[in-house]
Amino acid sequence: MQAFYPESFRYFQENCNMKKILCCMAVALACLNVRAQVISFNDKEVKVMRELIRDDDSPSFKKVFTPFERTAQSAMTEAPNPIDEIRSQGLLEGNPQKTASLNSVKDAYKIYALALEYQYSKTRKYLKKATGYLLAWAHTNHASGDPINETKLEDMFTAYDLIRRDIAKTDRDSIDRWMKSIADAEVNSKSAQPGRGTAINNWNSHRIKIITLIAYTLHDSSYYALVNTLMEKQLEINLNADGTTHDLMERDAFHYHTYDIEPLLSAAIAIYRASGKNYFTYQTSKGASLKKSVDYMIPFMTGEKIHPEFVKSTVPFDKKRAQNNEKGYAAGTLFKPEGGLYTFSLAAFFDPAYLNVIHKASKQGDAYFNWQLAQNRIREIAAGK
């Protein structure tokens, strides 16, 4: 039997304890990273946001933040207006159900404004009010699995991501269950069944965005693999190698080209911030990519080319909208570059060079600035870029 050496044993024990401590620290850091806010702003980005808004040398940030501030202050004196089920998709402008739904979902912007103002001012009355709005929706609204209706709740998902950690557990559990019910309804949506056109068109893009935003807001890893699978499948079946999309070819309108790729860009940003996987430059087996679909629009944004909208649309509802005198749906209406500014603002998250296109397309030129561009810049500064 070998002799027992107390000093050697003590060194071994201390070394093991140190390894355990380091291991625990690594796990803790990993958990913090996984649970970092990727849909809205993380703590470092919130700090940068405050500094930029308060900086007199950065008036553009204050300018784009002010509408949220005003909305938050107004929302403090208003009551939530939740609806049992959002009904907008497939209904013409003026339909009472659509009108009621669109009025109701204005709450989404109010909740986001309240959450943003809370993070900016750290005044708890805004947190309390935002929580009240979210609870009203959680207790009233029922998931439908209709992505075109439920995409209108996007600002609520982002707002909840901003404040979820600061909400009392009982309230948080209620809101979590509601949002999870929406994600699950979208996962199992009838619109995504094989053979349906809505399984490959803009409906599916919005469906993927909704699932992605909720998954990362709730930090629910059970959705993560599915999100990647759905994203890659949609890029494969919806995007073409020349930069066109299924919806552009079917509707003959950039109105729907942007409606197709904007939700995919939003989802791609969330996935990139969470995992580092870049679906903006990701190429499908046929050589298509989100980047190519954004780039396809450039000459139409800068005025080198024009595009009459809906001339060759094969979708009867487009004609019904035109007959209902809904703005922009009359066949032959020229695409306006302003209609693509938000698309390029999202794309600028991945490539700031798109700012050149935005400035050429905007009537304000180099002075153009919106909240998405502000978010991009805040994230860049926080990341040390």
Side-chain angles (χ1 to χ4, degrees):
M1 181 180 291
Q2 286 184 327
F4 181 74
Y5 298 103
E7 289 300 320
S8 298
F9 177 78
R10 185 158 46 248
Y11 172 82
F12 173 78
Q13 186 180 44
E14 290 173 354
N15 193 41
C16 285
N17 287 339
M18 182 56 70
K19 286 182 178 178
K20 286 179 181 178
I21 291 169
L22 291 172
C23 183
C24 289
M25 288 175 64
V27 170
L29 287 171
C31 288
L32 284 172
N33 183 55
V34 168
R35 292 189 172 274
Q37 291 157 293
V38 298
I39 304 302
S40 57
F41 290 138
N42 59 37
D43 292 342
K44 190 173 182 181
E45 291 163 348
V46 167
K47 182 180 178 182
V48 171
M49 176 191 76
R50 288 196 204 105
E51 292 170 350
L52 288 172
I53 292 171
R54 293 168 180 168
D55 186 356
D56 292 337
D57 293 329
S58 303
S60 54
F61 285 90
K62 178 65 175 177
K63 183 178 180 180
V64 293
F65 176 74
T66 297
F68 294 112
E69 200 165 39
R70 290 173 179 163
T71 298
Q73 291 165 359
S74 295
M76 289 296 298
T77 63
E78 298 167 355
N81 183 30
I83 197 166
D84 62 339
E85 183 179 329
I86 302 166
R87 298 171 179 88
S88 173
Q89 176 273 127
L91 301 178
L92 293 171
E93 206 170 84
N95 180 289
Q97 287 186 320
K98 182 169 187 171
T99 300
S101 291
L102 294 181
N103 284 333
S104 186
V105 296
K106 289 178 182 177
D107 277 2
Y109 182 78
K110 295 177 185 179
I111 296 168
Y112 180 64
L114 286 164
L116 205 58
E117 177 62 24
Y118 165 66
Q119 287 292 7
Y120 172 70
S121 68
K122 284 302 179 185
T123 305
R124 292 192 68 83
K125 67 178 183 179
Y126 296 110
L127 171 66
K128 184 178 179 180
K129 190 68 174 181
T131 303
Y133 269 86
L134 285 167
L135 284 171
W137 275 83
H139 294 151
T140 304
N141 182 253
H142 300 100
S144 66
D146 186 312
I148 301 306
N149 289 336
E150 294 180 335
T151 194
K152 296 172 178 62
L153 300 176
E154 179 177 353
D155 278 346
M156 289 194 197
F157 309 146
T158 310
Y160 190 43
D161 185 66
L162 268 172
I163 61 177
R164 182 173 178 267
R165 292 182 303 173
D166 296 338
I167 294 177
K169 187 179 185 304
T170 302
D171 293 339
R172 187 168 67 241
D173 289 345
S174 295
I175 300 166
D176 280 4
R177 281 193 297 271
W178 171 58
M179 289 201 178
K180 193 174 190 310
S181 74
I182 294 173
D184 289 342
E186 293 297 343
V187 169
N188 300 300
S189 176
K190 292 180 180 179
S191 70
Q193 291 178 351
R196 288 177 175 253
T198 50
I200 63 175
N201 69 2
N202 68 87
W203 285 48
N204 203 38
S205 294
H206 286 275
R207 172 175 167 259
I208 292 165
K209 177 193 73 176
I210 293 165
I211 298 169
T212 301
L213 297 186
I214 293 175
Y216 285 108
T217 292
L218 302 184
H219 307 289
D220 192 332
S221 60
S222 66
Y223 294 104
Y224 295 169
L226 175 64
V227 162
N228 287 340
T229 299
L230 292 175
M231 188 74 165
E232 291 171 18
K233 183 178 179 182
Q234 179 70 349
L235 296 177
E236 185 71 42
I237 60 179
N238 188 279
L239 309 186
N240 301 314
D242 63 356
T244 60
T245 57
H246 170 87
D247 292 66
L248 179 60
M249 303 310 292
E250 183 180 51
R251 314 296 281 265
D252 189 28
F254 277 114
H255 175 92
Y256 274 97
H257 183 75
T258 58
Y259 201 54
D260 208 346
I261 62 178
E262 283 176 1
L264 293 177
L265 286 168
S266 293
I269 290 171
I271 294 168
Y272 179 79
R273 278 168 57 80
S275 68
K277 188 167 182 61
N278 189 331
Y279 279 118
F280 182 68
T281 54
Y282 172 94
Q283 289 210 11
T284 69
S285 65
K286 57 187 179 185
S289 70
L290 273 173
K291 183 179 181 347
K292 287 184 179 180
S293 292
V294 171
D295 290 348
Y296 183 83
M297 293 181 64
I298 291 177
F300 300 94
M301 292 290 291
T302 58
E304 297 169 52
K305 294 182 180 180
I306 60 171
H307 186 266
E309 302 275 90
F310 297 106
V311 174
K312 299 177 183 178
S313 174
T314 60
V315 177
F317 191 57
D318 292 339
K319 188 174 182 180
K320 289 181 181 179
R321 278 176 154 174
Q323 292 170 341
N324 196 45
N325 297 316
E326 296 186 22
K327 188 177 179 179
Y329 287 94
T333 301
L334 292 181
F335 168 72
K336 295 182 179 179
E338 292 91 332
L341 289 174
Y342 181 60
T343 306
F344 277 80
S345 298
L346 288 168
F349 169 85
F350 293 100
D351 187 352
Y354 287 120
L355 286 171
N356 295 325
V357 178
I358 291 170
H359 293 156
K360 287 182 181 178
S362 170
K363 292 177 180 178
Q364 298 174 352
D366 292 353
Y368 180 82
F369 199 62
N370 63 19
W371 184 242
Q372 182 57 49
L373 293 177
Q375 291 181 81
N376 295 347
R377 187 62 190 136
I378 288 166
R379 289 162 174 168
E380 286 174 353
I381 294 171
K385 295 180 182 179

